[in-house]
Amino acid sequence: MRSMSGSRRNSGSSLVSSSSASSNLSHLEEDTWILWGRIVNEWDEWRRKKDKLLKELIRKGIPHHFRAIVWQLLGNATDMPVKNQYSELLKMSSPCEKLIRRDIARTYPEHEFFKGQDSLGQEVLFNVMKAYSLVDREVGYCQGSAFIVGLLLMQMPEEEAFCVFVRLMQEYRLRELFKPTMAELGLCIYQFEYLLQEQLPELNVHFRSQSFHTSMYASSWFLTLFLTFLPMPVATRIFDIFMYEGLEIIFRVGMAILQYNQTDLIQLDMEGMSQHFQKVIPHQFDSCPDKLILRAYQVKYNPKRMKKLRTENRLLKQRIETLEKGQVTRAQEAEENYVIKRELAVVRQQFSVTSQNLEKAQDTIGELQREKYTELFVTGLQTQLEQSRLQEAELLGALKEMQDKVLDIEKRSSSLPDENNVAQLQDELKLVKLRELETLHSFREMQDTVTELNQRWQVHMSKGGGGHWKESPKKNALNELQDKLMGVRLREAQAQAELKEVKLKAIQLESQNQIHSKLIGRHEVESAAMQERLQQLAGQNKGLQAQLTEMKRKQAELDCKSKEEVMAVRLREADSMAAMAELRQKIAELEIQKEEGLIQGQLNHSDSRQYITQLRDQIGELKNELHVNQIPSCFLYFSEIIDVGRHIKHDILDSLLWPSSV
């Protein structure tokens, strides 16, 4: 009877040990609500002391009924002052109301909560979007933000959804994404292209060859957080992690999707890839969102490198703005040079007209010297003389303005960088020297002309300067006209000299302009060469990165194999422990049977000795097996054996469910 009861207890213990794993799993499922309830009640302590465990739980998914309060706690949006302003904001009018009304019907059109023109979902969605457009007038309303608000409204009332959305815009970089310039979206695309180029170089080359730009498929990922790309259960799991870790999960999930579909995408053209992104990829992880999350956290992501990329993108934008300003400055200088050239042409034309008038005056004076002089003719000469004086004054004013402009241009030219490489500019300097020689030659000719005019004037004054009072009035008037004409010719010569000097400065400035333009051309050629070198180095870097990625992949495979082998060894150890427990139990049963046989005296002397000998042989065999398994030969009680088996199986379940904590 006791042996039968022992066998029953043995069968019962085996049933308990075999069902321990399933009971633990069901226990964990039942305790999920209790666990998350304790997390919500002890939120500050969990964030302060159990942050890593909380992160793991969030990655495994927040229960549906706890999402509303957990999202508010993660966003620190439980007690916000803007919540008290919500009712007042709804009474105001917003300039974005028409745009919001237009897009509401296209937000989750298949969802029951938002289906129908006058549905409750559309009404509360309009209220939240209108209220935010009044709070943040710089952003106002942007397409794509309604999907995020719609997801919040599926989980919580509109006041709480409004507070969480305000916190998301302020603390999670979404406000920069939705600004009119969308500068943050450009930065995210720049960072994502770097990850694609580093980790999937073949796919990146294929995208570029097909002109399939990153913004064509990734813009909606960042603007709607995959809410318009993936099914709602999968997108909600991603949003759980986004509330805790920010935009990093968007980069990880995007790279995981591209890694999973790399083989198929490389074989498609641009239209085929667009169809693949729209129809195939969204439904690949419907049945198992954990598979996508696991792949996302296998993606290599370096936060420090992403910060450096943010700085590089900002510097690149500043450089582009500087280059654009430089081009505008060059265009303005070219326009000013053109205006100066036109003014020089006008001055030259005026000078030629004045020269013609002076020649006519000289001809008239010659005729007067050969003919008789009349008072009317003298009056005409005086009038022409006054006109020539006026033209001379205008020419002097124009020359002064030209000199001021030339000085201004010289100041601007002095601010330009000097040329250090003299050997490359020898040809240009020769041309400039030739021009300078020509200008100096013309200037010397003008000086000779002025000297000759001065000599003539002095001769004229020596001949007729002291005898004018003896001549007739007409003769005196003629002499005065000749004196004035000689003065006009002197001033004309001086004006020509100044004009030559202005031409000389203009030629020098043109030469400097040509030198600087050629310098700019040389710098552009050098920059192109440096860019080619940079592209070559980038190609080599891509190859090395591909090799490094392959080595890391092989290392990861080896790590997985080693983990599997360790797990198999632990399972074999557990099986051996269970077998040893059964052997110990059998030994205990045989000892009990031996004692019963000796006490009760049911066997005769010879039979008992034979039976005891058999029992001793069996006990010896069992002890030998125990020695082979390297287990001490001391016996344990039956309850202790059951406890050991339970502890072993609990350890195995913990290693399967919580691999990071073991």
Side-chain angles (χ1 to χ4, degrees):
M1 292 293 292
R2 189 169 292 182
S3 64
M4 291 176 64
S5 63
S7 63
R8 287 176 183 175
R9 278 179 287 185
N10 184 23
S11 63
S13 64
S14 63
L15 287 173
V16 170
S17 61
S18 64
S19 61
S20 60
S22 60
S23 64
N24 285 330
L25 289 174
S26 62
H27 182 68
L28 288 173
E29 292 177 356
E30 292 175 358
D31 289 348
T32 301
W33 280 57
I34 300 174
L35 175 62
W36 278 99
R38 188 166 69 252
I39 291 172
V40 170
N41 292 328
E42 303 171 357
W43 180 256
D44 294 334
E45 183 179 357
W46 276 78
R47 287 302 298 268
R48 187 173 60 257
K49 298 181 179 180
K50 304 177 182 179
D51 191 56
K52 293 183 179 180
L53 179 58
L54 180 61
K55 182 188 293 185
E56 293 295 331
L57 291 173
I58 291 174
R59 289 180 180 179
K60 293 180 181 296
I62 302 172
H64 174 71
H65 296 283
F66 286 93
R67 278 201 171 102
I69 183 62
V70 173
W71 285 357
Q72 293 180 56
L73 291 172
L74 286 172
N76 195 17
T78 52
D79 296 322
M80 292 184 64
V82 74
K83 184 177 180 180
N84 300 326
Q85 304 174 8
Y86 183 74
S87 58
E88 297 297 328
L89 292 171
L90 295 182
K91 299 177 183 178
M92 301 168 63
S93 61
S94 171
C96 303
E97 290 184 9
K98 291 184 179 179
L99 294 175
I100 298 172
R101 288 287 186 192
R102 184 192 65 185
D103 291 339
I104 277 179
R106 298 181 291 181
T107 305
Y108 300 119
E110 302 299 328
H111 198 280
E112 290 295 332
F113 187 55
F114 299 99
K115 189 180 293 185
Q117 185 175 0
D118 298 328
S119 62
L120 177 61
Q122 290 192 10
E123 187 63 28
V124 294
L125 178 59
F126 173 79
N127 291 339
V128 175
M129 299 309 301
K130 171 187 172 182
Y132 185 80
S133 68
L134 292 170
V135 170
D136 190 353
R137 295 184 180 272
E138 182 181 2
V139 175
Y141 168 73
C142 181
Q143 291 181 346
S145 58
F147 288 95
I148 300 174
V149 176
L151 177 64
L152 297 175
L153 290 172
M154 295 179 196
Q155 309 294 333
M156 61 189 76
E158 56 181 304
E159 291 86 354
E160 285 77 3
F162 173 69
C163 294
V164 174
F165 183 65
V166 171
R167 185 66 69 184
L168 288 176
M169 296 292 283
Q170 293 175 350
E171 304 294 337
Y172 288 76
R173 294 169 56 186
L174 293 186
R175 185 175 184 274
E176 303 298 325
L177 281 173
F178 291 120
K179 275 187 177 181
T181 58
M182 288 190 172
E184 190 71 17
L185 178 61
L187 172 62
C188 292
I189 295 298
Y190 178 75
Q191 293 173 330
F192 191 80
E193 285 179 348
Y194 170 78
L195 293 177
L196 178 62
Q197 183 178 357
E198 182 184 33
Q199 302 184 23
L200 300 174
E202 296 181 1
L203 184 61
N204 181 44
V205 171
H206 179 67
F207 281 169
R208 290 180 180 274
S209 63
Q210 296 293 327
S211 298
F212 194 66
H213 302 292
T214 308
S215 58
M216 296 172 65
Y217 60 88
S219 297
S220 63
W221 295 355
F222 291 100
L223 290 174
T224 64
L225 309 178
F226 289 103
L227 292 173
T228 59
F229 184 75
L230 295 174
M232 186 59 63
V234 184
T236 307
R237 286 285 304 278
I238 295 172
F239 195 83
D240 289 341
I241 303 172
F242 170 77
M243 290 296 299
Y244 188 84
E245 302 181 21
L247 283 176
E248 177 182 341
I249 187 60
I250 307 301
F251 288 99
R252 289 183 176 276
V253 172
M255 288 301 301
I257 290 173
L258 294 181
Q259 287 178 356
Y260 189 75
N261 294 272
Q262 181 180 8
T263 306
D264 297 332
L265 291 172
I266 289 178
Q267 300 175 359
L268 300 174
D269 56 1
M270 182 177 180
E271 184 177 358
M273 287 189 290
S274 299
Q275 294 295 325
H276 193 78
F277 271 94
Q278 293 176 4
K279 297 181 180 179
V280 179
I281 295 179
H283 303 288
Q284 289 177 340
F285 304 97
D286 288 352
S287 59
C288 187
D290 292 329
K291 184 178 180 182
L292 178 60
I293 303 299
L294 181 61
R295 283 183 170 272
Y297 282 98
Q298 292 174 353
V299 173
K300 181 182 177 182
Y301 183 88
N302 189 351
K304 293 183 179 179
R305 182 56 185 162
M306 300 301 277
K307 289 183 179 178
K308 289 182 180 179
L309 290 174
R310 174 184 287 272
T311 305
E312 291 176 2
N313 186 52
R314 178 174 55 81
L315 294 176
L316 183 61
K317 287 183 178 178
Q318 291 178 356
R319 186 176 179 185
I320 291 172
E321 291 177 357
T322 304
L323 290 175
E324 290 178 351
K325 291 180 180 178
Q327 291 178 355
V328 171
T329 305
R330 292 193 191 96
Q332 291 177 352
E333 290 179 355
E335 185 177 359
E336 290 177 358
N337 290 333
Y338 177 71
V339 172
I340 291 172
K341 289 180 180 179
R342 289 184 59 185
E343 292 178 354
L344 280 172
V346 172
V347 171
R348 288 171 183 170
Q349 185 177 2
Q350 292 177 354
F351 179 73
S352 62
V353 172
T354 306
S355 300
Q356 292 177 1
N357 292 333
L358 286 173
E359 290 177 357
K360 290 180 180 178
Q362 289 175 357
D363 296 337
T364 304
I365 290 171
E367 292 177 357
L368 288 172
Q369 290 176 352
R370 291 190 297 268
E371 297 177 357
K372 293 180 178 180
Y373 309 110
T374 61
E375 293 181 358
L376 182 62
F377 199 73
V378 171
T379 304
L381 287 176
Q382 290 177 352
T383 305
Q384 291 179 2
L385 181 60
E386 291 175 357
Q387 291 177 355
S388 64
R389 286 179 178 176
L390 291 174
Q391 290 178 356
E392 180 185 1
E394 292 176 357
L395 284 173
L396 289 174
L399 284 173
K400 188 174 181 181
E401 291 179 359
M402 292 297 296
Q403 288 176 353
D404 295 337
K405 291 182 178 179
V406 167
L407 290 174
D408 189 14
I409 292 174
E410 285 179 351
K411 290 180 181 178
R412 293 184 182 179
S413 300
S414 63
S415 63
L416 295 173
D418 297 331
E419 174 60 24
N420 295 324
N421 194 355
V422 180
Q424 296 179 355
L425 299 176
Q426 289 181 352
D427 297 334
E428 298 173 2
L429 289 175
K430 290 179 181 178
L431 295 174
V432 172
K433 288 180 180 179
L434 290 175
R435 291 179 181 175
E436 289 180 355
L437 290 174
E438 291 177 358
T439 308
L440 289 172
H441 181 67
S442 61
F443 184 69
R444 288 173 182 173
E445 290 180 353
M446 184 60 62
Q447 286 181 344
D448 295 338
T449 304
V450 173
T451 303
E452 184 180 355
L453 288 173
N454 285 326
Q455 291 175 356
R456 289 182 180 179
W457 173 255
Q458 292 175 0
V459 171
H460 174 72
M461 291 298 294
S462 63
K463 288 181 179 180
H468 289 335
W469 61 276
K470 297 180 181 179
E471 301 292 337
S472 62
K474 292 183 179 180
K475 196 84 169 182
N476 291 332
L478 180 60
N479 291 331
E480 289 178 0
L481 287 174
Q482 287 179 352
D483 295 340
K484 291 179 181 180
L485 181 60
M486 188 62 65
V488 170
R489 293 183 66 184
L490 286 173
R491 286 192 292 270
E492 179 188 357
Q494 291 176 356
Q496 288 179 353
E498 291 177 355
L499 184 60
K500 291 288 185 179
E501 186 178 358
V502 170
K503 288 181 180 180
L504 174 60
K505 291 183 179 180
I507 291 172
Q508 291 176 353
L509 291 175
E510 289 178 358
S511 302
Q512 291 179 1
N513 192 12
Q514 291 178 359
I515 290 170
H516 290 302
S517 62
K518 290 184 179 180
L519 283 175
I520 291 170
R522 292 193 190 96
H523 288 308
E524 289 177 353
V525 172
E526 292 176 359
S527 177
M530 292 296 291
Q531 287 179 355
E532 291 179 359
R533 177 62 178 167
L534 182 61
Q535 290 177 357
Q536 292 177 359
L537 293 175
Q540 295 177 1
N541 191 16
K542 288 179 184 177
L544 294 174
Q545 288 176 353
Q547 294 178 4
L548 181 61
T549 304
E550 183 65 21
M551 293 176 67
K552 288 183 178 179
R553 184 184 62 78
K554 292 180 180 179
Q555 183 66 29
E557 292 178 355
L558 293 174
D559 293 340
C560 292
K561 289 181 180 179
S562 63
K563 289 180 181 178
E564 292 176 356
E565 291 176 356
V566 170
M567 188 61 66
V569 170
R570 294 185 67 182
L571 290 174
R572 285 198 296 271
E573 289 178 357
D575 293 337
S576 64
M577 292 292 289
M580 285 186 285
E582 292 178 357
L583 290 175
R584 288 172 182 169
Q585 183 181 355
K586 289 181 180 180
I587 291 171
E589 291 175 356
L590 291 174
E591 292 290 342
I592 292 170
Q593 291 177 5
K594 176 182 175 182
E595 291 177 359
E596 289 177 352
L598 291 175
I599 294 172
Q600 294 176 1
Q602 295 176 357
L603 300 174
N604 54 20
H605 185 68
S606 59
D607 293 338
S608 63
R609 285 184 179 179
Q610 184 179 2
Y611 182 70
I612 290 169
T613 304
Q614 291 177 358
L615 290 177
R616 286 178 177 176
D617 294 338
Q618 291 179 2
I619 291 169
E621 292 176 358
L622 293 174
K623 287 182 178 181
N624 291 331
E625 291 181 2
L626 287 173
H627 283 297
V628 171
N629 290 325
Q630 296 180 355
I631 298 298
S633 59
C634 59
F635 297 112
L636 299 173
Y637 293 111
F638 183 70
S639 61
E640 293 178 352
I641 296 171
I642 293 175
D643 292 336
V644 170
R646 286 179 178 175
H647 285 303
I648 293 170
K649 293 189 178 180
H650 276 299
D651 291 339
I652 295 172
L653 284 174
D654 289 338
S655 64
L656 291 173
L657 294 175
W658 312 98
S660 61
S661 61
V662 175

